[in-house]
Amino acid sequence: MVTLAFIAGTPHEVFAHGVTAGDKGYIQESFGFLPIPFLYLGAKHMMTGYDHLLFLFGVIFFLYRLKDVAIYVTLFAVGHVFTLLSGVLMEISVSAYIIDAIIGFSVVYKALDNMGAFQRWFNVQPNTKIATFIFGLFHGFGLATKILDYELHPDGLLPNLVFFNIGVEIGQLLALAVILIAISFWRRSGSFFKHAYRANVLMMMLGFLLMGYQITGYFVA
């Protein structure tokens, strides 16, 4: 109940998949090629992107080899970069609430996948690599939708977006390193498998909260 009350009283910008009010003003007033600021904004977006981090946490939850982690994170990054660039450059805009609700669903989906729900319910295991790539597309499109709302100046748009994406990937690697270190220590504690199911249930609940908040915002707005 406390969590629900907190969400109900929190401005949408805080829970949106994207950019803070202060960064919004900077983006709207910027023009020309600004590599360092957009590199910083991209890294900041990923490091503070709770929805990104929740999904990535679910993706690597049962991955033990760095090679597998690299494959899945790369698939997610490729999807994210593609829709961010194409969404902004082609000016494809959809309701941010709908996209963010789908992003919340991606967290729910991955939690259910980790719990083996699809095998128990439907006797089938969806392709996890394809799912990671597809949800990466939605995560990138979520930010593209918000950037379009901020109407970036066309002067330097493409190189600024490229450096923004580079910043996103840098931030993703930094956040991923922290997550990997934390989960590695957890696995060594001996309580990992004891609490793994509960951790994914919690992640699923957070995903549903994100979905509910965005769906409510869509109808209220």
Side-chain angles (χ1 to χ4, degrees):
M1 292 303 292
V2 173
T3 303
L4 290 172
F6 171 74
I7 290 177
T10 305
H12 176 261
E13 286 78 5
V14 175
F15 282 87
H17 177 87
V19 185
T20 64
D23 292 339
K24 172 183 176 180
Y26 177 82
I27 289 173
Q28 289 177 324
E29 296 174 2
S30 299
F31 64 91
F33 181 36
L34 301 169
I36 301 304
F38 276 88
L39 191 76
Y40 164 76
L41 288 172
K44 179 182 177 182
H45 158 68
M46 177 57 73
M47 294 295 289
T48 59
Y50 58 90
D51 45 6
H52 267 321
L53 300 181
L54 268 177
F55 182 73
L56 285 175
F57 175 72
V59 167
I60 70 171
F61 195 86
F62 286 120
L63 297 180
Y64 290 85
R65 298 189 303 173
L66 285 178
K67 177 182 177 181
D68 293 329
V69 172
I71 290 173
Y72 279 86
V73 172
T74 299
L75 287 170
F76 178 74
V78 169
H80 185 275
V81 169
F82 177 77
T83 47
L84 174 55
L85 289 175
S86 60
V88 173
L89 296 177
M90 298 174 65
E91 298 185 359
I92 304 172
S93 183
V94 181
S95 170
Y97 289 105
I98 294 176
I99 297 299
D100 284 339
I102 295 173
I103 291 171
F105 172 73
S106 73
V107 177
V108 174
Y109 174 92
K110 192 56 200 174
L112 289 172
D113 186 30
N114 287 345
M115 292 187 287
F118 302 118
Q119 291 177 319
R120 290 198 303 272
W121 296 346
F122 309 112
N123 197 31
V124 63
Q125 173 57 54
N127 189 304
T128 53
K129 291 185 176 69
I130 293 177
T132 300
F133 174 74
I134 290 175
F135 283 125
L137 295 174
F138 283 106
H139 279 248
F141 196 41
L143 185 56
T145 300
K146 296 203 170 51
I147 290 178
L148 284 173
D149 290 340
Y150 300 156
E151 300 179 352
L152 270 72
H153 197 282
D155 184 15
L157 175 60
L158 179 56
N160 284 338
L161 285 176
V162 170
F163 272 85
F164 183 88
N165 271 290
I166 293 173
V168 165
E169 299 314 314
I170 292 174
Q172 178 169 276
L173 289 175
L174 292 174
L176 189 62
V178 174
I179 294 173
L180 282 173
I181 291 172
I183 202 169
S184 295
F185 276 107
W186 184 22
R187 286 168 178 166
R188 293 172 187 172
S189 69
S191 63
F192 177 72
F193 287 103
K194 180 180 179 181
H195 299 294
Y197 190 88
R198 295 176 184 175
N200 280 279
V201 169
L202 177 60
M203 185 169 69
M204 179 184 66
M205 292 172 61
L206 291 173
F208 274 125
L209 283 173
L210 296 176
M211 287 177 60
Y213 181 81
Q214 298 299 338
I215 293 171
T216 301
Y218 175 78
F219 288 106
V220 171

